[in-house]
Amino acid sequence: MEEEAMITDFHTAAFDTPEQREAVSQLPNIERQRLIEHLLVTYPQFDKLVEFISNYHYPVVGGSHGRGSVGGLIGKTRAGKSDIIKFYCNRWPAYDAEDGSVIPVVYIPVPPDIVAQRFAEIVYGVTGPGSAPKIKLPSLMGRSVDRIVGVRAQLVVIDDSQFLFQAPKNHLREFYGFLKLLADTESCNILFVGEESVITSVLAFDPLAERGGFPKEVLKPFDRDTEFDQFRLMLHEIDLRLPFAELSGLATRYLAAELHDFTGGAMGKVMKNLVRPAAFRALNDGSPRILRHHFYEEAALRQRPGDTRVYFASEAA
């Protein structure tokens, strides 16, 4: 089965005037939902990490793409790594050449409890038509490498790669074999996207660690003490892009503080765990904006065990 493409039609345009906000608020809910789901605001650290990936992909301006190196984009779950990867993949869509399909950036998502056969099926799915054969695992891993080389991949992005390294030993051996084979082709670079444990896993395996020394960047959440003003500015930019008739006041000191305290300042959590579901609740209510109680209700559904604080409780917000 062919896997989902990584090309995403992001919503990036701000609704700067009352007239624009009123117009977008009159769209059908299904269109407003799509705008919320695809909303993207870039920020300095986002831009820095996109530049890192770009330089890793093409180390010389006007030169050829990198080959045979292993690198990393590291960060906690819901830090916002996926949006960075999707944004970068949008720059490099697949296309058809006279001698076959070309996929410059191959994106491989790794689910939990991954096994070698399923991994091969994913590789086959993201590299075109055809199904992974039921053959011995070493041969299957070799065929998977051939698929990637066959589409002339320049950069292979392995997302949630911590799951790859957490696999049972017999499958982990096959995954290491796949990665070494792919690096040995000297046809592309490999970018691991995942949690901090990926660093230890890569450095523990010399055939990978020695492939360029494992250059990496870490996506960090907004720090409450030193970056709160930047966090509030980011929230305001999100607010300008929400499809409501009125601004929701995300950047007010109270709401910004509650959003930061609940998510730790991780933008992936801000959007996917709070802003998006609260916006959906506001749509269902026919509200002109996200109200404080929408955040309160969604935060309560996601409260961590042992956390007794009541978030978004102030009526003054």
Side-chain angles (χ1 to χ4, degrees):
M1 183 178 69
E2 192 167 346
E3 299 288 329
E4 180 183 359
M6 273 299 286
I7 301 301
T8 302
D9 182 18
F10 284 116
H11 158 49
T12 59
F15 306 116
D16 291 314
T17 67
E19 293 76 19
Q20 289 174 328
R21 288 194 287 273
E22 180 63 30
V24 75
S25 73
Q26 297 303 315
L27 293 175
N29 272 4
I30 191 168
E31 294 185 35
R32 296 170 73 191
Q33 178 184 356
R34 185 193 66 79
L35 290 172
I36 294 165
E37 289 175 340
H38 290 182
L39 192 156
L40 178 70
V41 175
T42 64
Y43 51 99
Q45 188 177 190
F46 185 106
D47 295 337
K48 174 187 173 184
L49 295 180
V50 169
E51 183 180 12
F52 162 73
I53 298 171
S54 180
N55 292 338
Y56 178 66
H57 183 183
Y58 267 84
V60 176
V61 176
S64 61
H65 64 85
R67 302 169 186 268
S69 181
V70 174
L73 175 60
I74 308 299
K76 293 182 179 179
T77 300
R78 291 296 191 199
K81 301 185 300 297
S82 291
D83 280 344
I84 292 171
I85 294 303
K86 290 176 183 178
F87 184 84
Y88 191 76
C89 285
N90 278 6
R91 296 181 173 182
W92 297 92
Y95 62 92
D96 291 324
E98 291 184 1
D99 53 349
S101 296
V102 179
I103 308 178
V105 178
V106 171
Y107 171 80
I108 304 174
V110 182
D113 302 319
I114 188 70
V115 295
Q117 182 68 39
R118 175 60 184 139
F119 182 77
E121 290 168 357
I122 294 171
V123 171
Y124 270 68
V126 300
T127 53
S131 301
K134 304 290 186 180
I135 58 178
K136 291 183 178 180
L137 293 181
S139 297
L140 183 59
M141 293 296 99
R143 295 273 190 94
S144 298
V145 169
D146 291 342
R147 292 276 294 197
I148 292 171
V149 174
V151 297
R152 286 164 277 185
Q154 303 169 359
L155 178 67
V156 176
V157 178
I158 304 178
D159 200 3
D160 282 327
S161 53
Q162 69 273 7
F163 296 133
L164 206 66
F165 298 114
Q166 293 167 4
K169 286 186 177 180
N170 57 322
H171 293 283
L172 181 59
R173 180 176 61 250
E174 301 301 337
F175 294 147
Y176 274 129
F178 164 84
L179 294 168
K180 184 178 184 302
L181 279 174
L182 182 57
D184 284 347
T185 66
E186 296 282 344
S187 63
C188 61
N189 277 351
I190 303 170
L191 182 71
F192 292 113
V193 180
E195 298 180 357
E196 289 186 6
S197 62
V198 170
I199 298 174
T200 303
S201 299
V202 171
L203 295 180
F205 188 61
D206 286 344
L208 290 183
E210 293 174 358
R211 293 284 182 173
F214 193 47
K216 56 195 171 296
E217 284 282 1
V218 178
L219 175 58
K220 299 177 181 178
F222 284 88
D223 184 79
R224 177 66 183 273
D225 295 329
T226 62
E227 298 176 315
F228 190 58
D229 287 343
Q230 296 176 39
F231 182 70
R232 292 179 65 192
L233 178 61
M234 179 74 174
L235 292 176
H236 180 65
E237 292 298 322
I238 292 169
D239 207 354
L240 288 172
R241 289 158 177 80
L242 289 171
F244 292 101
E246 300 174 6
L247 291 175
S248 299
L250 303 186
T252 60
R253 185 166 292 277
Y254 172 77
L255 283 182
E258 294 292 283
L259 285 163
H260 192 286
D261 289 352
F262 193 82
T263 64
M267 288 314 303
K269 291 182 179 180
V270 169
M271 283 303 302
K272 296 180 175 66
N273 293 6
L274 280 180
V275 172
R276 182 184 293 178
F280 292 163
R281 192 178 285 267
L283 286 182
N284 291 336
D285 286 351
S287 175
R289 60 188 175 94
I290 304 174
L291 299 173
R292 189 270 314 164
H293 74 82
H294 295 135
F295 284 119
Y296 168 82
E297 290 156 5
E298 292 300 334
L301 292 175
R302 294 162 175 79
Q303 196 92 358
R304 287 183 174 274
D307 185 357
T308 59
R309 174 173 168 180
V310 181
Y311 294 89
F312 305 98
S314 173
E315 294 296 340

